[in-house]
């Protein structure tokens, strides 16, 4: 039986399983490989801190999470697929109210990132 996500205990498990799925995904893996240039350990450590900060509202991640994404492909299909993969990972590992709230938060975050990347791209094209 699955339990609800416990942010203090489950962040690393979530991040590890999710990025294993990303690395085996035909759409997302090439994007991440190019962006990370092979630095998966550095990225995972950053993601542990980032998601810990989001789930616990405990700022141990410092930085602008949006900036590294500005030059990535900005097609909505990438973001929708990322959300589907992330939410599927949550469903695989956990169930409960906190998990459902987190799935909504992740979808909103992806939508905001997508909207902002498109806006930045449009600004750059108009310069």
């Amino acid at each position: 039986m699955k339990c609800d996500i416990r942010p203090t205990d489950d962040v690393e498990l979530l991040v590890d399983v999710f990025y294993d799925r990303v690395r085996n995904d035909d759409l997302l893996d090439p994007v991440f490989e190019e962006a990370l240039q092979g630095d998966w350990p550095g990225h995972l450590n950053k993601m542990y801190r980032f998601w810990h900060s989001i789930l616990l509202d405990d700022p141990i991640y410092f930085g602008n999470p949006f900036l590294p994404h500005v030059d990535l492909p900005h097609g909505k299909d990438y973001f929708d697929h990322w959300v589907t993969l992330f939410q599927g990972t949550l469903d695989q590992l956990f169930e409960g109210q906190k998990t459902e709230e987190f799935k909504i938060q992740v979808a909103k975050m992806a939508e905001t990132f997508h909207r902002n990347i498109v806006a930045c791209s449009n600004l750059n094209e108009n310069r």
Side-chain angles (χ1 to χ4, degrees), residues 82-127:
W82 182 92
V83 168
T84 298
L85 205 62
F86 200 99
Q87 290 178 341
T89 304
L90 284 166
D91 286 340
Q92 174 188 345
L93 300 171
F94 312 107
E95 65 183 5
Q97 182 177 348
K98 182 70 175 172
T99 301
E100 293 305 312
E101 291 169 1
F102 189 43
K103 286 166 53 178
I104 293 167
Q105 187 177 12
V106 163
K108 287 179 182 178
M109 185 181 307
E111 180 61 34
T112 299
F113 271 47
H114 176 252
R115 185 175 51 249
N116 290 341
I117 288 171
V118 168
C120 286
S121 177
N122 290 340
L123 281 174
N124 290 334
E125 287 175 7
N126 293 327
R127 288 187 176 174

Side-chain angles (χ1 to χ4, degrees), residues 7 12 15 31-32 45 53 69 71 82 100 103 106 114 123:
E12 287 190 25
V15 167
V31 174
F32 278 85
N45 285 324
S53 296
H69 297 86
D71 293 326
W82 182 92
E100 293 305 312
K103 286 166 53 178
V106 163
H114 176 252
L123 281 174

Side-chain angles (χ1 to χ4, degrees), residues 12-31:
E12 287 190 25
L13 173 64
L14 171 62
V15 167
D16 289 343
V17 172
F18 173 67
Y19 283 103
D20 280 346
R21 293 179 78 185
V22 166
R23 292 182 86 173
N24 289 296
D25 186 87
D26 293 337
L27 181 64
L28 296 178
D29 179 56
V31 174

Side-chain angles (χ1 to χ4, degrees), residues 29-43:
D29 179 56
V31 174
F32 278 85
E33 284 294 337
E34 183 177 335
L36 297 178
Q37 297 293 305
D39 187 17
W40 281 98
H43 184 67

